[in-house]
Amino acid sequence: MLKGKRIFITGGAGFIGSTLIGKLIEDNEIVAYDNLSRNALERSTAHGHKNLTVKQGDILDSEALREAAKGAEVFIHAAAIAGIDNTLVNPVNTMTVNMVGTANALEAAQSAGTVERFLEFSTSEVFGSRAYRVEEVDSTTTGAVGEARWTYAVSKLAGEHLTHAYYRQHNLPTVTFRPFNVYGPGQIGEGAISIMIRKALKDEDIYIFGDGAQIRAWCYIDDMIDALMKALVMPKAVGESFNIGNARAVTTIYGLAQTICRVLNSKSKIVFRDALSADIELRIPNVDKAKELIDFEARVDLEEGLLRTGEWISKNMDDLPEMPALFRSK
């Protein structure tokens, strides 16, 4: 457990960042650096805490980022553009923020000279359209140039390569996480489960893009945070990339929608629409490396996680931002 550290988190007001802050805030000094375009932090228990400083800033502003990161002992880079809506509408912004932003974060951490651990987020999408029990050593792959789906994956993969380069060339103690479909309370963006639950609670139509046969493994946020807490302190994590997910919480997208309707007693209809772009047919991680090196094992099953998430969304529904136009009922 981290104690007495100065922790700097880009994207600190986001879903994962704000949840992590809630776990670390009592025993550490935390600086959350975020443009506040989505602010899950203001709904968290850490909001207004004496140990928390929020600095509004852009990850592309390298000078402001370096200044804000001075003295950081733990640097967590969670700022990114994600979500299929963003990728389709703003592909240039997606790639610029994710690639240049990661380069800026790494340089800020290196310049600080005090960073004992740098953790950045890649994505499970680096494994391409079919990924069954993939290991960290398996080849990464991306689809055809110009296909919108892969803009996000390529941008995150570039950041992951650069992170490893800083470890090899500058001895910056880096760790990379490849999350597999994280969800849970506090998610206010474009996560599939968050959107489906919001619609289910209102008995609105739930949209599935494509045939719904796409298979995913779903990881509850508490399990992700458990992995983060361990990777930030365990020496064996340095210089490594880790798949982080729940290989037991697996279902198709259609099955997920059906499960959400059942556990929430929803009357929503499931409506199929044309696929938005190339999709990922199968995505299930092998997490043996994370188990061996950082003692990570997901514990929250899908139905329990959906119920907890549904309870949180129900309580906070009126304060959540409007869903992207793609998902709204017409």
Side-chain angles (χ1 to χ4, degrees):
M1 178 69 74
L2 289 172
K3 289 188 177 181
K5 298 293 185 182
R6 181 174 172 83
I7 302 173
F8 184 80
I9 307 179
T10 69
F15 172 40
I16 293 176
S18 61
T19 307
L20 181 61
I21 288 171
K23 298 288 186 180
L24 295 170
I25 193 67
E26 292 298 334
D27 299 313
N28 301 277
E29 176 189 353
I30 298 179
V31 176
Y33 185 89
D34 201 293
N35 66 7
L36 302 182
S37 60
R38 292 177 181 166
N39 195 347
L41 191 56
E42 65 183 358
R43 299 173 180 84
S44 78
T45 56
H47 181 64
H49 197 285
K50 62 181 176 64
N51 291 344
L52 175 64
T53 300
V54 178
K55 293 193 176 183
Q56 186 169 358
D58 193 323
I59 195 70
L60 298 179
D61 187 341
S62 58
E63 290 187 14
L65 183 61
R66 278 200 304 272
E67 183 64 28
K70 285 182 177 178
E73 295 168 287
V74 176
F75 194 125
I76 299 162
H77 178 46
I81 300 293
I84 188 64
D85 187 52
N86 281 319
T87 301
L88 291 172
V89 176
N90 295 304
V92 172
N93 193 45
T94 297
M95 295 201 76
T96 302
V97 169
N98 292 351
M99 292 190 300
V100 178
T102 299
N104 288 345
L106 285 160
E107 191 56 34
Q110 180 69 14
S111 298
T114 52
V115 173
E116 301 166 2
R117 192 68 52 96
F118 179 97
L119 189 146
E120 67 101 18
F121 290 89
S122 180
T123 174
S124 58
E125 296 207 7
V126 300
F127 290 114
S129 61
R130 293 185 62 83
Y132 177 66
R133 292 192 60 77
V134 283
E135 300 180 26
E136 290 82 354
V137 294
D138 290 342
S139 295
T140 54
T141 181
T142 53
V145 172
E147 173 55 59
R149 179 82 202 201
W150 306 118
T151 302
Y152 172 71
V154 168
S155 69
K156 297 297 282 183
L157 183 58
E160 183 172 352
H161 276 287
L162 188 58
T163 298
H164 280 271
Y166 265 78
Y167 169 65
R168 292 193 304 271
Q169 185 170 333
H170 297 304
N171 294 316
L172 186 68
T174 65
V175 183
T176 293
F177 270 20
R178 294 170 174 168
F180 281 69
N181 300 293
V182 180
Y183 73 98
Q187 189 173 32
I188 62 176
E190 294 180 30
I193 285 180
S194 175
I195 289 171
M196 286 184 183
I197 287 178
R198 287 169 68 175
K199 291 171 113 1
L201 289 171
K202 295 179 179 179
D203 293 325
E204 295 178 355
D205 291 350
I206 293 174
Y207 301 140
I208 291 180
F209 297 94
D211 62 9
Q214 310 95 314
I215 298 170
R216 300 283 187 273
W218 301 93
C219 182
Y220 189 66
I221 183 63
D222 285 8
D223 288 328
M224 165 62 72
I225 297 301
D226 177 56
L228 272 169
M229 301 283 274
K230 291 175 177 177
L232 292 174
V233 297
M234 291 189 174
K236 289 183 179 180
V238 174
E240 303 289 349
S241 290
F242 293 100
N243 294 337
I244 303 296
N246 188 343
R248 296 187 301 275
V250 175
T251 184
T252 64
I253 298 297
Y254 180 48
L256 175 67
Q258 289 178 308
T259 302
I260 286 172
C261 290
R262 176 170 53 80
V263 300
L264 298 181
N265 295 313
S266 173
K267 297 177 182 177
S268 292
K269 291 189 298 182
I270 299 172
V271 177
F272 291 88
R273 288 185 163 182
D274 292 339
L276 297 172
S277 67
D279 210 337
I280 292 174
E281 300 173 28
L282 177 64
R283 190 160 65 201
I284 302 171
N286 179 310
V287 293
D288 290 348
K289 179 179 177 181
K291 171 66 175 174
E292 178 183 353
L293 296 186
I294 60 172
D295 192 31
F296 165 72
E297 186 173 6
R299 303 185 184 280
V300 180
D301 67 31
L302 184 59
E303 291 200 12
E304 180 183 356
L306 292 175
L307 281 170
R308 292 186 195 176
T309 307
E311 290 174 1
W312 184 87
I313 290 177
S314 179
K315 292 176 182 176
N316 293 275
M317 184 79 79
D318 292 340
D319 296 324
L320 297 180
E322 187 175 32
M323 284 185 286
L326 285 170
F327 306 101
R328 292 180 217 147
S329 298
K330 294 184 178 178

